[in-house]
Amino acid sequence: MENRYRIGIDLGGTNIAVGLVDENWSITARCTLSTRAERPAREIIDDMAKAAETVMAQAQVEKEACLSVGVGSPGTCDEKTGEILYANNLGWRNVPLAQELQKRLGLPVYISNDANCAALGEVKAGAAKGCRNALLFTLGTGVGGGIILDGKIFSGGRSCGAELGHTLLMAEGEPCTCGRRGCIEAYASATALIRDTKREMERTPESLMHAAAEGYGKVNGRVAFDAARQGDPAAKRVVENYLRYLGEAVVDMINIFRPDIFILGGGIANEGAFLLEPVRAFAARYAYGGALNPLPEIVCAALGNDAGIIGAAALEG
Amino acid sequence: MENRYRIGIDLGGTNIAVGLVDENWSITARCTLSTRAERPAREIIDDMAKAAETVMAQAQVEKEACLSVGVGSPGTCDEKTGEILYANNLGWRNVPLAQELQKRLGLPVYISNDANCAALGEVKAGAAKGCRNALLFTLGTGVGGGIILDGKIFSGGRSCGAELGHTLLMAEGEPCTCGRRGCIEAYASATALIRDTKREMERTPESLMHAAAEGYGKVNGRVAFDAARQGDPAAKRVVENYLRYLGEAVVDMINIFRPDIFILGGGIANEGAFLLEPVRAFAARYAYGGALNPLPEIVCAALGNDAGIIGAAALEG
């Protein structure tokens, strides 16, 4: 039997999603478990190994038919040593993840940052299929940045760069989780959108956002978009501000990386054209060199959470 | 005779500097001429070819002993086709520079952006000698960014990226020459420093900056630094602001590229330790991951204008 399967693991602060990925980058078996990040790292790694065995068993695939295991991890990874340097939402510091998992599974294990894996997944099988140079923002709790250059993940000179969400939009602006003020993450994440939605709701008791929030039971990243679509002026202000910030962040990364394609993922990307059209117009207007330089396509991610599994499976040494 | 020389050309809006560079990256003969950018591109290219022949003649080096010619150009270059896509300060659009120069000289010609060449020059023979991953800011009229990854120039997915000076520091901030507001260039260039010096001088007629400016005959990038060193409070405010902006810009690029070394070049880098120490302290405090991630060395450029010639000579296909 040929070695034509790979195992992809998307390690998150809440859940661990494991998939068996075939040579066409389809997930043929999958398994999800709770991370319970408060546990010792050793136990979590044990569970990851078991889940990998589970998906092989589900698909009746022998270990010998598997090429490798890849893990997309939050936080900072040293891809060369296979170590997680630190991951706040796991509480990990210097965990030799690849080595430990390799011990348990007897397969080569590669690791990378989760946003990088999502970008690689979209390049292998999703919205950027076949592209050599792609950039991805995950617009979620934070803003993750994934960079594919010449078909490969770019993670900075010392494997701990590519922190696109932690570059400035606004010096001395909103506080960011990283200790600076004004990072892209503090303006373009779902968390930032929710903060700005709440602020605008406080100022405008008549806004339709209040009803929208009640419908969801809380203020989430959809409240302002929903109310804006109904014509609510306060919600429109929130959305327009958000889209301008996102546009600025996209232009920054176009000016640096000039990718073929720019992928927007994460929860907020579900807004689709309502999000894409203004960002495209902003990029066309403000990217350096304007029409003289090639503008990347700007699209929404296609694979959802599967991108992380597929991209992790696609990691190589 | 071996092919052990290379010709490096630093094409600027005002001057063209040409050097014959030996295998140890020393400039063994040089020649400078006025660009007179208002002329047709053809004439300028003729002059570049003649200057290349002049430096070979000066050093009594035959064309056969030369490996290649490299040109560092302002503006946007397509390194693959050898075309200058556009260069505002030359008034050039789609000039097939490499092809035209190659026709005249009968040697392979390579081109790249001038800031990239400066970075490559510092890596070959200057402040970053031997480094694999280096980043350079030229702090001059604008802010140029040069990126060396794994020993090679990185110029973005489509050869017209790496415009580090045109990423944001301050959304909706000071107007930038590129059409956006708030770019790094609008805060960390000498032009920005001079703007802020003038503003502060208007507010503070008692400031020592007035005497310093008279000494130079005009307000330049040194006025605020000179007066700050004499303890002038208004000048200190200008310098502290400038250094904070520069620190933010440096941290942004560390977070993205995580280089081994960060080089500050251009006129303002002549301030030396007065510039370096606060930027180093800022980076240590605010770079993503703090002490958990490796911090690059932050140094001043060592080669001055020669970096552009040496880096251009080091260009390869």
Side-chain angles (χ1 to χ4, degrees):
Chain A
M1 196 190 228
E2 291 168 70
N3 288 348
R4 56 206 177 84
Y5 292 93
R6 296 158 193 261
I7 294 164
I9 304 180
D10 184 9
L11 170 61
T14 310
N15 289 310
I16 300 167
V18 182
L20 185 74
V21 177
D22 72 14
E23 57 200 340
N24 301 315
W25 306 110
S26 291
I27 300 176
T28 59
R30 63 173 78 223
C31 158
T32 303
L33 57 151
S34 296
T35 310
R36 291 185 285 133
E38 68 286 355
R39 297 184 290 166
R42 186 180 37 74
E43 287 182 25
I44 298 176
I45 299 171
D46 283 342
D47 274 6
M48 290 166 76
K50 277 180 214 150
E53 279 160 358
T54 302
V55 294
M56 287 187 276
Q58 270 176 41
Q60 295 180 292
V61 163
E62 301 291 319
K63 195 175 284 185
E64 291 65 36
C66 289
L67 265 172
S68 58
V69 180
V71 185
S73 164
T76 310
C77 308
D78 188 326
E79 299 176 354
K80 289 181 190 94
T81 63
E83 206 177 0
I84 310 289
L85 299 180
Y86 75 113
N88 278 338
N89 52 0
L90 296 171
W92 286 11
R93 288 269 176 101
N94 301 309
V95 173
L97 176 62
Q99 197 188 334
E100 287 299 315
L101 206 51
Q102 193 151 339
K103 239 188 253 173
R104 287 162 176 76
L105 285 168
L107 286 167
V109 179
Y110 309 113
I111 68 170
S112 190
N113 178 276
D114 46 11
N116 282 332
C117 289
L120 188 58
E122 293 288 344
V123 162
K124 290 292 180 189
K129 201 172 170 174
C131 292
R132 301 294 298 164
N133 298 296
L135 230 140
L136 172 138
F137 271 163
T138 55
L139 308 169
T141 311
V143 173
I147 311 168
I148 306 296
L149 295 177
D150 215 15
K152 286 190 174 6
I153 286 175
F154 170 77
S155 54
R158 298 193 188 182
S159 271
C160 46
E163 288 291 351
L164 307 186
H166 298 288
T167 60
L168 285 197
L169 253 181
M170 187 81 82
E172 291 143 68
E174 299 285 349
C176 184
T177 53
C178 74
R180 285 173 95 187
R181 301 180 75 95
C183 291
I184 285 176
E185 179 159 306
Y187 287 90
S189 62
T191 311
L193 175 59
I194 291 166
R195 175 199 66 214
D196 292 345
T197 302
K198 284 180 178 166
R199 281 184 192 161
E200 190 65 37
M201 285 168 71
E202 271 175 35
R203 273 194 293 263
T204 52
E206 74 282 12
S207 164
L208 297 178
M209 292 189 285
H210 293 278
E214 267 173 44
Y216 289 117
K218 62 175 181 183
V219 180
N220 62 22
R222 278 175 285 180
V223 165
F225 277 98
D226 287 356
R229 268 188 285 261
Q230 294 172 56
D232 182 64
K236 278 186 177 171
R237 279 195 295 277
V238 174
V239 168
E240 278 163 19
N241 259 322
Y242 176 81
L243 292 175
R244 199 173 64 246
Y245 292 136
L246 178 59
E248 297 277 20
V250 165
V251 167
D252 275 0
M253 298 308 148
I254 291 175
N255 289 354
I256 296 177
F257 289 102
R258 200 54 68 165
D260 304 323
I261 191 163
F262 207 118
I263 311 155
L264 300 176
I268 295 180
N270 293 327
E271 302 296 337
F274 206 72
L275 183 90
L276 281 182
E277 293 307 329
V279 172
R280 285 175 180 153
F282 193 94
R285 178 156 176 203
Y286 290 109
Y288 187 75
L292 294 166
N293 278 343
L295 206 66
E297 251 191 286
I298 302 175
V299 300
C300 285
L303 299 176
N305 295 331
D306 286 357
I309 296 174
I310 296 169
L315 292 175
E316 287 173 352
Chain B
M1 198 190 229
E2 293 169 67
N3 288 348
R4 55 207 178 86
Y5 291 94
R6 298 159 192 261
I7 294 164
I9 304 180
D10 184 11
L11 170 61
T14 310
N15 289 310
I16 300 167
V18 182
L20 186 73
V21 177
D22 71 14
E23 56 200 340
N24 300 316
W25 307 110
S26 291
I27 299 177
T28 59
R30 62 173 79 223
C31 156
T32 302
L33 58 152
S34 295
T35 310
R36 291 185 286 133
E38 67 287 356
R39 297 183 291 166
R42 186 180 37 73
E43 288 183 25
I44 297 176
I45 299 172
D46 283 342
D47 274 6
M48 288 165 77
K50 277 181 215 150
E53 280 160 357
T54 302
V55 295
M56 287 187 276
Q58 271 176 39
Q60 296 180 292
V61 164
E62 299 292 320
K63 195 175 286 183
E64 290 67 34
C66 288
L67 265 173
S68 59
V69 180
V71 185
S73 165
T76 310
C77 308
D78 188 325
E79 300 177 352
K80 289 182 189 95
T81 64
E83 207 177 358
I84 309 289
L85 299 180
Y86 75 113
N88 278 340
N89 52 0
L90 297 170
W92 285 12
R93 287 271 176 100
N94 301 310
V95 173
L97 175 61
Q99 196 188 337
E100 287 298 316
L101 205 51
Q102 193 152 339
K103 239 189 253 173
R104 287 163 177 76
L105 286 169
L107 285 168
V109 179
Y110 308 112
I111 69 171
S112 190
N113 177 274
D114 46 11
N116 282 333
C117 289
L120 188 58
E122 293 288 344
V123 162
K124 290 292 181 191
K129 200 169 172 178
C131 292
R132 300 295 296 164
N133 300 295
L135 231 141
L136 173 139
F137 271 163
T138 55
L139 308 169
T141 311
V143 172
I147 310 168
I148 307 296
L149 294 177
D150 214 15
K152 287 188 174 5
I153 286 175
F154 171 76
S155 54
R158 297 191 187 184
S159 272
C160 46
E163 288 290 351
L164 307 188
H166 298 288
T167 58
L168 285 196
L169 254 182
M170 187 82 81
E172 291 143 66
E174 299 285 349
C176 184
T177 54
C178 76
R180 285 174 97 187
R181 302 181 75 95
C183 291
I184 285 175
E185 180 159 307
Y187 287 90
S189 62
T191 312
L193 175 60
I194 290 166
R195 176 200 66 214
D196 291 344
T197 303
K198 285 179 177 166
R199 281 185 192 162
E200 189 65 38
M201 286 168 72
E202 271 174 36
R203 273 194 292 263
T204 52
E206 75 282 11
S207 165
L208 297 178
M209 292 189 285
H210 294 278
E214 267 173 44
Y216 289 118
K218 64 177 180 183
V219 179
N220 63 21
R222 277 174 286 181
V223 165
F225 276 98
D226 287 356
R229 268 189 284 261
Q230 294 171 57
D232 182 65
K236 278 186 178 173
R237 279 196 295 276
V238 174
V239 168
E240 278 164 18
N241 259 321
Y242 175 81
L243 292 175
R244 200 175 61 247
Y245 292 137
L246 177 59
E248 296 276 20
V250 166
V251 167
D252 275 0
M253 298 308 149
I254 290 174
N255 288 354
I256 297 177
F257 290 102
R258 200 54 66 163
D260 303 322
I261 191 164
F262 207 119
I263 310 157
L264 300 175
I268 295 180
N270 293 327
E271 302 296 338
F274 207 72
L275 184 89
L276 281 182
E277 293 307 330
V279 171
R280 284 175 181 154
F282 193 93
R285 178 156 176 201
Y286 291 110
Y288 187 74
L292 294 167
N293 279 342
L295 207 67
E297 252 192 285
I298 302 176
V299 300
C300 286
L303 298 176
N305 295 331
D306 286 356
I309 296 174
I310 295 169
L315 291 175
E316 287 174 351

